[in-house]
Amino acid sequence: MNFLEEKILSDGTVKQGNILKIDNFLNHQIDIGIMRQIADELKHRFHDVEVNKILTIEASGIAIATMVGNLYDVPVVFAKKGETANSTDDKYVSHAYSFTHKQMNNVFVSQPYLNSTDRVLIVDDFLADGQAVHALIDLVHQAGGEVVGIGIAVEKGQQNGGRLLREEGYRLESIAVIEEMDWKTQRIDFRH
Ligand code: 5GP
C-alpha cells in the first residue's frame, strides 16, 4: 500500500453518494508533507516527459499543482469556475458538470495563460467522471497546446473518467485508485 492509500484509510471518510471526504489533508486543511509526497510521486511518474506548464482547476487542485510546479519550476495555471464576464473574447471557455456540487460550471482560462507552445501537465485532486479533466483538455486544445500527461491524486475507479481518458490515449497517472468504497461499512478497497 502506498503513502496516499494509507493516508486515505487512516483519515478518509466515505459519504453517501460515492463521495470520499479527505478534508483534513487535502480538501480543507492541507497536509504539506502529503502534498510534497504527491508532487514527488507525480514528478517521478512523469520523469521522462517535457513539461512547460501545469494546469489545474480551482480550488482543491491548486495545492497539488503548486507543489508539482515547484518541482518542474514552471508556471502553474488554474482554470476558474462559474460565471464568465459578458464578453468571453479574451478567455478560453469550456464546461464541466460538477460531481460534488451537482451543477454545470463554466470553466475558463484567460487567453494569455495558455499558448500553442505549451506542453501541459494537467493535475487534479480527484478524477471521477472526468468532466473536470476533459474541460481542461479542451482549454489546452483551444489554445493549440498539447496535453503531455494527466496526474491525479485519487482516481475513483468505479466511475468512468479514468477508463475514458486512457481509451482516448492520454497518459494518466493516479497515485491511489479506488476500486470500491461503502459508506455503510466505511470499507475502501484500492485497485492494484
Ligand atoms: P469529475 O469531473 O472527474 O467527475 O470530478 C472531479 C472533480 O470533482 C474533482 O475536481 C473534485 O473536486 C470533485 N470530486 C469528485 N469526486 C469527489 C470525491 O469523492 N471527493 C471529493 N472531495 N471531491 C470529489
Side-chain angles (χ1 to χ4, degrees):
M1 203 177 304
N2 70 32
F3 69 94
L4 186 56
E5 293 165 339
E6 276 174 12
K7 188 72 175 167
I8 290 168
L9 285 189
S10 70
D11 293 21
T13 44
V14 183
K15 298 284 170 194
Q16 206 169 357
N18 196 30
I19 298 281
L20 175 65
K21 203 167 160 79
I22 49 177
D23 277 8
N24 77 324
F25 68 93
L26 210 165
N27 292 127
H28 197 359
Q29 171 172 259
I30 293 168
D31 182 319
I32 293 298
I34 293 288
M35 292 304 110
R36 200 178 285 129
Q37 282 180 283
I38 290 172
D40 286 345
E41 181 63 25
L42 291 179
K43 180 88 195 312
H44 172 69
R45 294 193 188 196
F46 290 103
H47 69 276
D48 56 332
V49 178
E50 191 197 320
V51 171
N52 67 4
K53 194 162 284 180
I54 309 294
L55 177 65
T56 189
I57 183 163
E58 65 179 3
S60 296
I62 297 173
I64 300 173
T66 305
M67 304 289 277
V68 176
N70 178 46
L71 294 179
Y72 278 97
D73 202 14
V74 299
V76 176
V77 176
F78 59 94
K80 299 190 178 193
K81 290 179 201 163
E83 294 298 312
T84 54
N86 285 341
S87 162
T88 57
D89 287 354
D90 61 344
K91 296 182 180 71
Y92 300 115
V93 183
S94 194
H95 310 278
Y97 182 77
S98 166
F99 181 79
T100 38
H101 298 108
K102 310 285 180 229
Q103 67 180 38
M104 202 65 175
N105 284 320
N106 286 329
V107 176
F108 58 95
V109 169
S110 290
Q111 289 192 0
Y113 307 131
L114 282 176
N115 305 296
S116 60
T117 53
D118 283 340
R119 295 175 55 79
V120 178
L121 178 62
I122 291 175
V123 169
D124 206 1
D125 57 341
F126 274 90
L127 173 64
D129 291 327
Q131 292 267 326
V133 169
H134 275 108
L136 295 176
I137 291 171
D138 184 22
L139 297 177
V140 174
H141 288 166
Q142 286 181 40
E146 189 183 345
V147 175
V148 295
I150 301 163
I152 299 290
V154 187
E155 176 180 334
K156 287 155 72 191
Q158 332 87 297
Q159 290 175 254
N160 263 336
R163 186 180 57 73
L164 288 174
L165 289 163
R166 290 184 180 97
E167 279 174 11
E168 288 162 19
Y170 290 102
R171 180 156 166 191
L172 168 64
E173 294 283 349
S174 304
I175 298 175
V177 182
I178 293 171
E179 186 70 70
E180 237 177 307
M181 58 186 191
D182 181 356
W183 68 275
K184 286 186 184 145
T185 60
Q186 289 299 308
R187 186 185 165 122
I188 302 173
D189 292 326
F190 296 101
R191 184 179 297 170
H192 290 114

